[in-house]
Structure formats: structure tokens, C-alpha cells
Amino acid sequence: MPSRRFAIPLIFAAASAVSQERATTPSPTFSERVEVRVLDLDVDVTDSKGQTVPDLKKEDFTVKIGGKPYAIEYFSRVDQGTIHAPDLATASPDQVLSAYKKGEESFVPRNFLIYIDLGFLPPGLRNRSLEAIRDLVTRLGPEDSARVVIFDRSLKVLTDWTSSKESIFAALSQIERQGVGMSRLRAEQQTMQLIDSSPRRRGGRIPLVQQYAQEVGAEIQTMLASMRQELVTLTPLNGKKAFLFVTGGFESQPGYVMAQYASGGFGPAPISSINLRDITADMNAVVRRANGNEITFYTVDASGLTVDAQGAGGADSLGSRQGASFDPFGTRPGVSFIARQDRQSGLQVLARETGGLALLNTNDFEKGLTRVYRDVSTYYTVGVNLSGLTSTKYQDVKVEVGRPGVTVRARRGFEARPEADVIRDRAEATMGSELSYRGIPVQLETRPPTEDKKYFVVPMTVLVPASSLTFVPEGDKATARAEYFIGSVDDKGRMSDVTRQESSFQIPAGDVQSSAMLRFDARLQVRKGNVRIVVNVRDTATGKMGTARRSLRIE
């Protein structure tokens, strides 16, 4: 599977204090909090008609982690993106901090990562879904934001996180002007044609199925890896975090249905000699990363559907009617039905496990996305204290409501990730996007690179003012500690690993509030070409962070 990562080592680092004053440049503000003390669970509760149940109390909810009940210490109801004054007193501290206050109410920002997979979408169906997304974007408020990316064998960012509806609309229009795409759909069509023209003996068709399974499976694994990476860009954002995944579906068992088509029947025999790719681990990695960062999946099968939207948690009535011009299996209803189930299985898992919705078997995309908007705007949040949680393994989470006849949706898993991993994710988010922290003013200076075999070495200096760090007095001196997270991104979007270095600074106690600059020197190995170096500095005592970037042409 192609990788979007490469290792770039930090080969030398040193820290010191310098006295000269430097100018600073502010960056956009995003959350710098990383300590996970409370598990906040967003819960959607609907009645038998699919309407939100608005009058529940904290006592109506039960939360179990790993089968063990936990007391609910915080409770609030978000109504159309607003936490009203009475609920602010019982909301969790993290939820209050992530909201922005206006008068006696607080508003929870909504963040949509719009990920459009072109691998199984013809232009007509793709453009129809884009119209529904435009309608969703018109509903966004001034504090809401979105990021638009497409996947067509590889990931491409069309617009970074922005609150500008004009920028989001421009990105959606750009998708309409994209090439045809349909890599997996074309591979399916071409393989079927080759199978139809091959001898009916299995030995003549199995190699075709094997090649198809490997090619399509590799692309799906690449897509899931990119989705997992995109989740990182949502990590530091305040408010509700939604991953809107628009696709024609992807095979949960790449090559399985094609093997049945080649053999003319269903059963284990046709695939016994085929090495099918297992994407279970890739799917689980995406789900766990999403649940670990409180991100909800909303999945949309845009491939010409037949019935209304449905929650991911219930039974599904999958239709098989679709245009023959779109579905290569359209002339084989039995195969077509199984193929659609296989393509939709992953969409159901992503939505169900993260507490979201899978919009399947519907032609009314606007109605479906209206439901998504309602889902991210109106919900309950229950918070449990994690101080008694001893296991660091991924555990099942179950939320129940003591009222008959209601449907409850919430994320179904949680993993108490080490603080160091969460901090690294937040640093990594600034590499894959333009997100920046401004808790610390950071300046990044570089000097001309020198060639070192197949790499180049870039000398660099990171400067922060002494007043931005927390110094602890030690007699007539004072000491502060800072962490430096350094990485690079090339012009193909490939990111290096994030290197972490920790440094301490000791200065005269009277200078801790001065404009004296603290200097950190390092040498970074990079490859030839266009490179962007990203540095994040974190005050170890308070968790405040700052970001600086520098783009270079290495040749």
C-alpha cells in the first residue's frame, strides 16, 4: 500500500537564551487542551417517529464503559447549536471551554470534514450529492467551519478549514470540474468484461479476480489510511466534530463478489484460491481514531438509491434497484444485491460505531443531510469522570435511556490514550492543514541547506519570548521547560514523522517577563524539492502551544 509518510530525522538540537527582541506574527486560535479527565458523550435520542426527545434528565441516562457503570457528573442539552443558561451550570468543563459565549447562552461550533470519494461515483450522481452538500453549507453559522477533500486514488485538499461559505462553495464547484474519476468502478467493469470473454473454467478466471482484488484492495486501504490521517486535522478544533463521507461505497471484502461472479455462484469454494485483502484492521483503526478524538461519522451512499435515510444502528432494508448504466452487476440482480451490501457494510460500521448516521438507499440527499445537520445541532451531552478508569485498552461504551420506545445513538468505544499521543496528534494536525496555535509566539528561521548524500540538511532556529513560558524560581535563577515538535511536508502531501525534543531554559529570575528570546537550534534532514517545515512549541507546565511554518525550495 502506498504510504503518505516518510521518516525525516532531526539530527541535532540545542537550546539557549538570547537577548535581542524579535517581532512576532499571530496565528488562528484552536484548542490546546489535551488532558482527558472527563469522557463527554454526545447522545441522540429519538422517538418512534424519528423526532428528537427533548425532555430527558440526567437521571434518565446510564453509561457503561467496559461493562461497568459510571456515574454521570455532567449533563447538558445542546439545542440548535446552543447551550442555554440553565444547562451551562451542569455542562462539562471541556464543553463550556469549547463553546463561545454570547449573553446568557453559549454556542457550540460545528466542524464538517467533507470527504468525497470519487472511486465509485459517476459524475451525474456525484454532482447530485454536491447540490445537497451546498444546501448543508448554507445552514452553517459564522463560527462553524468546513474542510473539503477528495479521494481519487490519492487524497487532494481543495480547501482547508474555513468559515467562508464562498471558499467552501468554490471547492465544491471545483469537484464538478474534476476528471471522471471512477477508478474502482472502471476496474470492476473492465474485469467483468475480461471474465465474460474468458473460458468458463475457473483456472482461466481466477488470475483476473486475483489482480482485481489486489488492485482495488490496495486503493481502499490507501483511502482508509488517508481518512485516518484526515481525522487528525479535526482533533484540535473546538465544538462538534463531524466527518461527512460521501461515496459510492467501498468493498469490505475486496474481490469477494467478483469471485462469485467469475464462478457463477456463491459459497467458499470460488475464493479458496484467492488472496483477498483483509481491511478489518484498517477499518478498526479509523473507528478507534475517531472515537478517541470525539469525531462522528456521517456516511452517504450517493450511488442512486431507493428508500429513505436510516440510522446506522438498526436493521437495514437494502434495495437492489439502480441504473444499469451505473451498476455493472445490474443484469445479475442476485450479484448486484450482494455487491451493494458489501459496499455499504463499511459505511454502516463507521457511522454505527461512532454514533453517527449512515444515509443509505435514498435519492433525497437534501433530506438526509438536513437530518445530519439536525444531528450535529441538537443532542444531549453526558460526561463521566475517568479518574477511576484503570485500563488503557480500547473499551466498549454503552449509553442507555430509561424510557421505553426510544432509539439511542452514541459512540460505542473509547480508548484512554496517553497524553503524549494526544499532544503529538495536535502537532501533526498543523502539518496536514493550516491550523495553528498561538498560545506562544513562535518564530522559525532557516539557513541555506547543505547536501548530505541523498538528503539535504537544513539548519534552523526556533525563537520564543521568555515571557511566553512558565519559569519556576530557583534562587536568583528561574527554569522553564518546553517541548518542540518538528516535521515536514513535501509538495505531494507526504508528511514526515513528528520529532519531539524537550529543552530547559535557565535565566535570571528578573528576566522571566522580559522580551528576551529563547533560542532552540536544530538541523533537519529533508529531501530535494518543495518542503514545508512545521514547528510547534509547547510550554510543558501549562500546555500552551505555538506554531510556525516555513516553505523552502530544496535543490
Side-chain angles (χ1 to χ4, degrees):
M1 179 182 66
S3 174
R4 290 175 59 82
R5 283 194 169 277
F6 55 94
I8 297 293
L10 187 72
I11 59 177
F12 173 78
S16 61
V18 295
S19 60
Q20 64 263 37
E21 296 186 5
R22 305 273 182 160
T24 62
T25 303
S27 303
T29 303
F30 297 91
S31 174
E32 299 163 17
R33 296 176 57 84
V34 298
E35 186 180 1
V36 181
R37 297 165 297 150
V38 175
L39 172 62
D40 285 330
L41 296 165
D42 294 339
V43 186
D44 179 84
V45 185
T46 53
D47 59 22
S48 59
K49 297 181 180 179
Q51 299 300 310
T52 300
V53 179
D55 59 345
L56 296 172
K57 308 299 181 184
K58 181 175 74 171
E59 295 73 21
D60 295 317
F61 291 81
T62 302
V63 175
K64 295 180 180 179
I65 302 176
K68 177 184 175 181
Y70 279 73
I72 297 174
E73 298 193 7
Y74 303 99
F75 178 82
S76 64
R77 182 170 185 264
V78 179
D79 182 18
Q80 297 183 37
T82 304
I83 307 175
H84 298 289
D87 278 346
L88 282 173
T90 56
S92 77
D94 287 345
Q95 186 181 38
V96 173
L97 286 170
S98 70
Y100 61 96
K101 195 168 183 179
K102 185 177 181 181
E104 295 299 315
E105 298 178 335
S106 289
F107 299 86
V108 181
R110 290 158 286 214
N111 306 289
F112 284 93
L113 199 160
I114 302 172
Y115 186 113
I116 301 177
D117 164 33
L118 302 179
F120 212 82
L121 270 184
L125 297 176
R126 174 197 67 194
N127 294 345
R128 186 171 66 178
S129 64
L130 291 177
E131 284 302 315
I133 296 173
R134 286 190 178 94
D135 182 69
L136 172 69
V137 172
T138 62
R139 302 168 182 262
L140 300 183
E143 301 296 329
D144 300 334
S145 67
R147 170 178 164 103
V148 182
V149 303
I150 60 171
F151 182 83
D152 184 11
R153 291 192 176 93
S154 62
L155 189 77
K156 182 178 181 180
V157 179
L158 300 186
T159 187
D160 204 355
W161 288 108
T162 180
S163 296
S164 166
K165 294 181 182 180
E166 291 75 14
S167 297
I168 302 169
F169 287 143
L172 298 177
S173 296
Q174 187 177 346
I175 297 174
E176 290 180 328
R177 298 191 297 269
Q178 291 286 323
V180 176
M182 303 191 299
S183 54
R184 301 195 303 278
L185 179 57
R186 287 179 179 274
E188 186 174 275
Q189 291 172 324
Q190 292 167 1
T191 302
M192 290 178 63
Q193 292 170 358
L194 291 171
I195 288 173
D196 290 341
S197 61
S198 298
R200 289 203 58 84
R201 66 179 186 275
R202 282 175 49 198
R205 295 181 172 187
I206 290 299
L208 297 173
V209 177
Q210 180 73 59
Q211 180 180 349
Y212 170 83
Q214 292 302 308
E215 176 186 335
V216 171
E219 181 176 320
I220 292 171
Q221 287 183 307
T222 299
M223 181 183 72
L224 291 172
S226 75
M227 291 168 65
R228 186 169 180 265
Q229 187 59 48
E230 280 299 299
L231 289 170
V232 174
T233 73
L234 270 163
T235 301
L237 299 182
N238 291 323
K240 184 73 172 178
K241 295 177 278 192
F243 194 119
L244 180 61
F245 180 35
V246 181
T247 178
F250 62 92
E251 296 180 48
S252 60
Q253 302 177 81
Y256 170 76
V257 175
M258 189 63 71
Q260 311 300 343
Y261 180 83
S263 67
F266 289 88
I271 63 172
S272 60
S273 59
I274 300 175
N275 182 23
L276 299 180
R277 285 181 182 260
D278 184 359
I279 65 169
T280 303
D282 305 85
M283 285 284 297
N284 289 341
V286 173
V287 168
R288 292 186 177 193
R289 175 62 65 92
N291 280 339
N293 291 293
E294 301 179 358
I295 299 168
T296 305
F297 265 91
Y298 297 93
T299 59
V300 181
D301 184 349
S303 59
L305 313 169
T306 57
V307 297
D308 212 351
Q310 56 190 288
D316 295 81
S317 176
L318 301 177
S320 61
R321 186 182 67 195
Q322 48 192 314
S325 61
F326 164 66
D327 183 12
F329 295 120
T331 58
R332 298 273 298 276
V335 178
S336 176
F337 179 78
I338 298 299
R340 170 166 288 204
Q341 285 186 313
D342 188 51
R343 289 197 307 270
Q344 292 181 341
S345 174
L347 306 186
Q348 292 172 285
V349 170
L350 290 170
R352 181 183 66 238
E353 294 300 314
T354 62
L357 290 168
L359 304 177
L360 312 176
N361 310 314
T362 179
N363 286 316
D364 194 343
F365 296 113
E366 289 188 8
K367 181 178 179 181
L369 292 185
T370 295
R371 184 175 176 186
V372 169
Y373 184 78
R374 184 191 71 185
D375 203 69
V376 302
S377 302
T378 300
Y379 50 90
Y380 294 94
T381 296
V382 295
V384 298
N385 194 305
L386 296 177
S387 58
L389 186 67
T390 57
S391 175
T392 59
K393 296 181 179 179
Y394 190 82
Q395 299 189 65
D396 292 336
V397 173
K398 188 173 184 179
V399 180
E400 298 174 325
V401 172
R403 180 174 296 187
V406 300
T407 300
V408 180
R409 282 187 294 104
R411 55 185 166 128
R412 297 186 176 188
F414 170 75
E415 184 175 21
R417 302 178 64 211
E419 183 184 43
D421 290 352
V422 178
I423 296 170
R424 190 176 296 273
D425 276 357
R426 293 181 179 273
E428 197 171 295
T430 64
M431 293 176 59
S433 71
E434 294 299 324
L435 299 179
S436 296
Y437 304 104
R438 68 173 189 183
I440 298 175
V442 182
Q443 298 176 51
L444 173 60
E445 299 177 351
T446 60
R447 291 175 290 284
T450 57
E451 193 168 358
D452 181 20
K453 298 181 181 179
K454 64 178 182 178
Y455 293 103
F456 288 80
V457 176
V458 178
M460 53 188 291
T461 298
V462 183
L463 297 163
V464 300
S467 58
S468 65
L469 299 183
T470 303
F471 279 86
V472 178
E474 298 176 354
D476 60 346
K477 303 287 185 180
T479 302
R481 301 191 69 83
E483 298 165 82
Y484 293 79
F485 299 87
I486 302 174
S488 61
V489 187
D490 67 12
D491 54 3
K492 295 181 180 179
R494 296 182 303 173
M495 293 187 293
S496 73
D497 292 329
V498 177
T499 299
R500 175 186 175 275
Q501 294 285 320
E502 187 172 352
S503 292
S504 61
F505 298 91
Q506 189 174 70
I507 61 176
D511 292 343
V512 297
Q513 294 300 319
S514 73
S515 57
M517 302 301 288
L518 306 177
R519 175 173 180 152
F520 179 85
D521 291 310
R523 295 164 62 205
L524 189 68
Q525 280 189 342
V526 298
R527 294 179 176 178
K528 182 178 180 179
N530 296 318
V531 176
R532 182 172 67 168
I533 299 173
V534 184
V535 176
N536 286 277
V537 182
R538 181 175 184 266
D539 179 26
T540 303
T542 64
K544 291 189 303 181
M545 293 179 70
T547 306
R549 298 179 175 87
R550 196 169 188 87
S551 295
L552 304 174
R553 173 67 183 175
I554 308 295
E555 54 187 1

